[in-house]
Structure formats: structure tokens, C-alpha cells
Amino acid sequence: MSKKSYERPLIRKLETGMPGKFGLRNDLTPATHIDNIPVAELVENFGSPLFVISEQTIVQTFNKAKRAFTTRYPRVQFAWSYKTNYMDAVCRIFHREGSWAEVVSGFEYEKALRNGVDGKKIIFNGPEKSREDLTKAIRNDSLIHIDHLDELYELVELSGELGIKPRVAIRVNMDTGIYPQWDRFGFNLENGQAWDAINKIVHSGKMELTGLHCHIGTFILSAGAYGIAASKLALLAIDIRNKFNINLKYLDLGGGFASRNTLKGSYLPGPDINPGFEDYAEAISSSLHNSGFSTEELPLLILETGRALIDEAGYMISTVIGNKRLASGSRSTIIDAGVNLLFTSFWYDHKVMPAQPFSLYREETLICGPLCMNIDIIRNSVSLPMLKKGDRLVIFNTGAYNMTQWMQFITMRPAIVLISSEGTVNLIRRKEDNDTLANQEVVPAYLSK
Amino acid sequence: MNDKLIKDIAISESGLIFNPVTGESYSVNPQGIGILNKLREGSSLSEIKELLVSEYEVEPETAERDTLDFLNLLRQFKLTTTHGS
Ligand SMILES: Cc1ncc(COP(=O)(O)O)c(C=O)c1O
């Protein structure tokens, strides 16, 4: 007689009354496959933990975003935010789909060039651009977004030396009604800094003022804030036209749209309450249409959307190391992926799902990583079927910022694979090993005997 | 084995448990029901382990560890009493 499959014995107290947090939602489908590829096969071939990226999801999400904007506004251009995920394979998918590049360092700028992006289609943001970086960007006719006055003066100097008029914009920060207001980057609109910078650029005669940029924050849950930002930038552009007779080519509204993740501490799940592309597109485009541009004058709308375009396409597969009953009586499950690899677990209650079939029984579980640190918690309390050593757990919506902000700490950074739209599995970043680290280290001769 | 199921506990086949003393209800999975029934018969830990191992695809060590954990929970919920420890 064949034996039944085992699940550890469980007893759970039944609570009556109000359904608990997320109590109404019961997702019962195990994540056995990602894009039709068995999770077990992925782990067998590439190890655990493992990051998996779905090209199909990237393309679908990108098309959704593009459609939301282009159906409402005639001229839209996305620029892929490199810092959000700069795996070359990922960047190349976005470029193939028509995205420009948005970079914030010399390293990212160089990466964009290597990915075949035309210098004219690289937006150079951020507070730190070295003289060499700026020189390169000027020569390549990239769009340079000025962050502060020292940079502005350096650009005046450089463009004089090189005899080239760079195309520039200023980053503007402003009050859009959201808290916290990001005022560390760019020039403030309300206190006159923005106008001061614009006057200096125009009067220098050395640069071509091409656009205006803002990035009001990240994971902004209010679409209305974008409406305000778009209105304010549009008004500023119209004032510039009236004062200097300069028609700006574009308004860049930056990134910051919420992905489908659930913010930590949110009572309702993200997919139910976060605004979607349509909401942001509606707010921005109606502000621009109402702002007083004639139809021919409408500037190009640039978007540097990061997390909302890639979060959903990223999965992390991890393996259960063991279970523990804590002093409080609650269950804790240890997995092989910690917060050093899943930085975003500090912000999000990531959706997690076992990769093998399970029964209806659930238990509140604390999911911890393998690091010897109290903060190494992937989920504080999540109702999960019983998991046993060796089981796989899939963590959803991990495509943004993890593969760029991960840390090598105690464990090695794992491999990343891309499942192509055709269904092939491609290694896009090798797993690190001891040699990866040893190659960077130098043991002084007197210690190497 | 020192753990005794308290009296009058109702166990339904579908895994619903009712404690008439406190009025509280619990849900238990089939493996748990098996253990509760064994406890009611006054079985020992090794008998419970054998039951799990004979019915399910599980290593004896895992079965023992999980059973001990389950017994702990029963104690925490005050569904069992411990004698003579
Ligand atoms: C200037 C700029 N643009 C775009 C982004 C992308 O933001 P998000 O991932 O929130 O869309 C960032 C992120 O910090 C940024 O600083």
C-alpha cells in the first residue's frame, strides 16, 4: 500500500467575528511553475536561492503602461531607470521595446552605452557626475539634468572648453501635497531656486535649455500628486516661453509609480488599493492638456518609471532550511534567502507561496532568512501552509531594486535567470563563489606565507 | 507519555475540535486528528510516531519532532494536562 503524503500535524484556534487582516483573500494556488517552467527544475539547474525574471511579464507590463499614457497623451517616451534593475539583459529588453536610458552615475552611463543606447537617448540624472562623466555626456549629446549650482557652473566651464552646447534640463523639486517632500535633489520651485538656475543657464549662452525634470518620490500612492507636479512643471515651461521665447522640448515627470506590492503596515493588499498606470496617466495627461499649451506645442512627456515596470517580473525562489517554535508559541520558518538579497522586505510584505501542492491548513508563520541577525525577517506574520525542510518557497514581486541593492554578506549572491518570451531559460548572472571574492582581495606578502 | 487529553473534548471527522469547558473551537489537520485519537486511547509517543510513519511518507525523526511540537501546542491551548512530570 502506498503511503499518503505527509504534512506536519497542526492545530489552530478558530477566531470568530471579524475576518483578520487579509482574512478575506485566500490564494490557494501553489507556485509550482514560473512561466510554465517547473520551479523544481530551475533550482536543480541553477541552485537556491535563485532570482528569476520573466521577459513575458516585462513586456506585458511595459505595454500596459505605454497604452495607458499614449491613449491619453500624444507624445510619450519611457526611459529605463537603470538603478532599479541594471542587469544588461533586462535593460536590453526595455531598450528593444523602445525605452531610452535614465542613469545616475558614470558606471550606469557607461553600462547604457555598452547596451547600445544612442548617447542622445541617455538621460543623465543624479547629484554625482564627475568632470569626466560630464565631458563624455556633452560629447555624446546626452540629456544632462542639472542637480545643483556647482554642477551648473562646471557645465558652463566645460561647454566653453569643448565648444559644444550641451542639452540640459534642471531637476525641480516642489510641493505636490505629499509627505515627505523630496527637497534634497534639484532646485526648489517655490523659493525661487529653480528660476535662479534657469536664468543662469539662459544668460550663460553656453547651454541649450531643453526640458524640465522632477521626481517627486517613490511608491507614490496618490495619483493626484502627479497631476500637481505636471501642472507646476507645465506652468514653469510656459513662463519660460513667455520670458525667453524658448519652447522646451520635454517635461520629464521622473519615476515613483507604485508597483503591485503591498507596503508594510498597509491594511489592505497592494493590488487592491495602489493606483494603476491608468490613474497616473489620467492625472498627468489632464494636467498637461489643461495647462495652456497649444496642441502643436505639447512637449514630449518623459517617464522614468522603475519599480512599477519590473517588480512583477521578478521572483525569488528559496528553500526551507528548517522550522522552529518561538518562545511566544508562534511558528518560524527559516529560508535560505535573507534581507541581504531581498532588501525590499524592509518596505514590502512580499507575497510568498509554496512551490509544492499543499492542503487547506494554514498557520501564522514568521519567515526569516539565514543571517545571524534579528532584523533578517522576510515576512513578519503570514498565513502559510505547513512547510518542511527542503520545500521551496516563491517570493513574488522582487524585480525592482533587489538585484542592484543586494549585499554580499555571510552568503554569496545567487544566480539570476531570465525566462524568455519563447520559454527558454537563460542564465543572465552567474552565482558568486569564493573565487569571486578572493579575486578582489589582496593578502599582503607577509601574511601569505 | 504524560499528556492526557482533557475530558469531553469533541472531535469531528472533518477536524473540528470543540472544548466545552472554554467554549473554544479549533481546526486540526488529518495528521493532527490521528494524534488526538491516539491520545484519547492513551497511546505513547512511540505509538503515535509509529502511526504517522506507517500511514504517511515521513521519516521517524521528523514524525517524532513534529509530534512533540504538536503536543506542546495542545498544552498551550490547555487541551491536555500533564500528569506526574
Ligand atoms: C531620478 C529618478 N528617476 C526615476 C527613478 C525610478 O523610480 P521608481 O522606481 O520609484 O519608479 C528614481 C528612483 O529613485 C530616480 O531617482
Side-chain angles (χ1 to χ4, degrees):
Chain A
M1 191 188 76
S2 75
K3 293 186 187 179
K4 291 183 257 184
S5 81
Y6 176 75
E7 179 178 80
R8 66 186 151 83
L10 174 85
I11 177 162
R12 207 183 52 182
K13 195 164 169 177
L14 295 176
E15 310 284 354
T16 46
M18 289 292 289
K21 199 176 182 186
F22 307 128
L24 296 168
R25 180 176 291 266
N26 230 351
D27 197 342
L28 294 171
T29 327
T32 54
H33 291 69
I34 298 175
D35 285 5
N36 296 321
I37 311 287
V39 166
E41 187 184 306
L42 290 167
V43 172
E44 193 170 311
N45 293 334
F46 301 99
S48 170
L50 177 70
F51 273 114
V52 181
I53 295 173
S54 155
E55 177 176 20
Q56 192 184 311
T57 308
I58 295 181
V59 175
Q60 281 168 1
T61 313
F62 185 72
N63 286 334
K64 231 187 280 174
K66 207 163 75 176
R67 209 175 314 119
F69 280 91
T70 51
T71 50
R72 292 174 169 83
Y73 193 79
R75 306 181 58 220
V76 181
Q77 178 61 53
F78 282 88
W80 176 239
S81 155
Y82 263 49
K83 73 189 90 52
T84 308
N85 187 318
Y86 44 57
M87 290 309 118
D88 286 332
V90 169
C91 296
R92 283 168 190 251
I93 293 172
F94 280 105
H95 299 322
R96 184 197 66 204
E97 298 299 310
S99 275
W100 294 359
E102 185 269 329
V103 304
V104 290
S105 68
F107 153 69
E108 288 188 359
Y109 186 93
E110 191 57 38
K111 227 175 189 314
L113 287 179
R114 288 180 189 213
N115 281 328
V117 183
D118 179 355
K120 291 190 180 62
K121 297 179 174 174
I122 302 178
I123 295 171
F124 203 164
N125 277 323
E128 195 248 322
K129 310 177 186 85
S130 71
R131 203 173 175 83
E132 295 69 45
D133 297 338
L134 287 173
T135 307
K136 207 186 306 180
I138 294 172
R139 289 218 159 97
N140 290 328
D141 198 19
S142 301
L143 298 164
I144 303 172
H145 288 183
I146 306 173
D147 179 72
H148 52 268
L149 281 180
D150 286 314
E151 185 172 278
L152 193 156
Y153 295 137
E154 187 156 33
L155 276 169
V156 172
E157 204 180 301
L158 271 175
S159 44
E161 278 173 25
L162 297 169
I164 307 173
K165 238 182 164 180
R167 293 188 297 158
V168 302
I170 56 162
R171 174 156 173 183
V172 178
N173 69 63
M174 60 187 122
D175 181 9
T176 56
I178 53 163
Y179 181 84
Q181 184 185 335
W182 281 24
D183 61 0
R184 263 191 52 212
F185 306 102
F187 302 90
N188 186 259
L189 181 65
E190 287 85 11
N191 72 6
Q193 284 176 355
W195 265 113
D196 181 39
I198 290 162
N199 290 335
K200 286 191 162 79
I201 290 170
V202 176
H203 292 148
S204 79
K206 295 268 191 344
M207 293 177 268
E208 185 189 333
L209 183 63
T210 321
L212 293 172
H213 172 231
C214 72
H215 171 71
I216 59 175
T218 192
F219 217 94
I220 303 293
L221 290 171
S222 148
Y226 281 94
I228 297 175
S231 290
K232 289 192 171 184
L233 278 195
L235 267 183
L236 184 57
I238 289 171
D239 286 346
I240 290 171
R241 179 197 64 193
N242 294 343
K243 181 168 177 189
F244 295 116
N245 198 25
I246 295 173
N247 279 313
L248 296 185
K249 303 272 189 316
Y250 65 86
L251 299 180
D252 180 344
L253 267 288
F257 300 157
S259 70
R260 312 311 280 164
N261 259 307
T262 302
L263 277 186
K264 258 197 149 63
S266 163
Y267 189 73
L268 291 167
D272 290 357
I273 53 164
N274 299 351
F277 292 121
E278 311 262 322
D279 302 299
Y280 296 115
E282 187 61 34
I284 292 173
S285 60
S286 40
S287 281
L288 295 182
H289 284 301
N290 290 333
S291 60
F293 291 114
S294 67
T295 312
E296 311 78 61
E297 268 179 341
L298 281 177
L300 177 69
L301 168 63
I302 297 182
L303 296 160
E304 302 168 350
T305 311
R307 66 177 81 237
L309 288 177
I310 188 72
D311 239 354
E312 270 180 278
Y315 303 82
M316 162 151 265
I317 304 175
S318 62
T319 303
V320 173
I321 297 169
N323 285 299
K324 231 181 219 181
R325 177 88 39 205
L326 302 177
S328 62
S330 62
R331 187 92 194 171
S332 127
T333 293
I334 310 159
I335 60 172
D336 62 357
V339 288
N340 57 323
L341 306 179
L342 269 180
F343 188 82
T344 51
S345 26
F346 291 126
W347 304 335
Y348 300 140
D349 282 338
H350 278 293
K351 174 182 162 186
V352 292
M353 193 55 70
Q356 45 285 313
F358 45 79
S359 77
L360 288 170
Y361 299 94
R362 303 281 184 114
E363 191 176 19
E364 282 302 313
T365 310
L366 168 85
I367 303 179
C368 327
L371 309 178
C372 307
M373 298 172 84
N374 225 9
I375 57 160
D376 190 20
I377 291 171
I378 302 297
R379 281 297 303 268
N380 252 317
S381 174
V382 53
S383 173
L384 274 185
M386 269 73 49
L387 293 164
K388 56 181 187 301
K389 185 174 159 61
D391 278 355
R392 313 283 180 211
L393 195 66
V394 178
I395 304 165
F396 286 73
N397 299 330
T398 58
Y401 296 104
N402 287 308
M403 289 160 235
T404 49
Q405 293 191 36
W406 53 358
M407 277 187 279
Q408 186 276 312
F409 176 60
I410 300 184
T411 56
M412 297 292 163
R413 284 178 282 211
I416 306 176
V417 297
L418 171 76
I419 303 177
S420 74
S421 298
E422 277 71 47
T424 58
V425 181
N426 308 270
L427 180 68
I428 63 165
R429 192 178 195 275
R430 278 184 292 275
K431 173 158 105 186
E432 293 177 351
D433 56 23
N434 272 19
D435 288 337
T436 318
L437 297 191
N439 280 341
Q440 297 307 113
E441 289 197 41
V442 182
V443 179
Y446 76 97
L447 292 174
S448 50
K449 291 194 187 88
Chain B
M1 170 86 89
N2 295 320
D3 292 89
K4 295 261 177 304
L5 208 56
I6 62 166
K7 267 196 283 183
D8 304 326
I9 292 275
I11 306 174
S12 85
E13 254 170 53
S14 61
L16 225 55
I17 306 267
F18 182 66
N19 180 353
V21 181
T22 60
E24 276 164 340
S25 307
Y26 303 85
S27 85
V28 185
N29 64 357
Q31 292 78 0
I33 299 176
I35 297 181
L36 284 170
N37 285 328
K38 281 279 168 194
L39 277 180
R40 181 172 266 172
E41 293 165 16
S43 302
S44 69
L45 176 62
S46 61
E47 282 170 317
I48 292 177
K49 194 173 77 184
E50 265 165 42
L51 165 90
L52 290 174
V53 172
S54 67
E55 273 194 35
Y56 298 97
E57 214 138 345
V58 61
E59 297 297 315
E61 298 76 42
T62 309
E64 174 163 339
R65 210 169 48 223
D66 289 348
T67 304
L68 287 171
D69 182 53
F70 184 73
L71 292 177
N72 257 326
L73 276 180
L74 293 181
R75 258 173 253 146
Q76 217 161 47
F77 290 143
K78 303 210 170 15
L79 291 169
T80 53
T81 50
T82 354
H83 294 292
S85 52

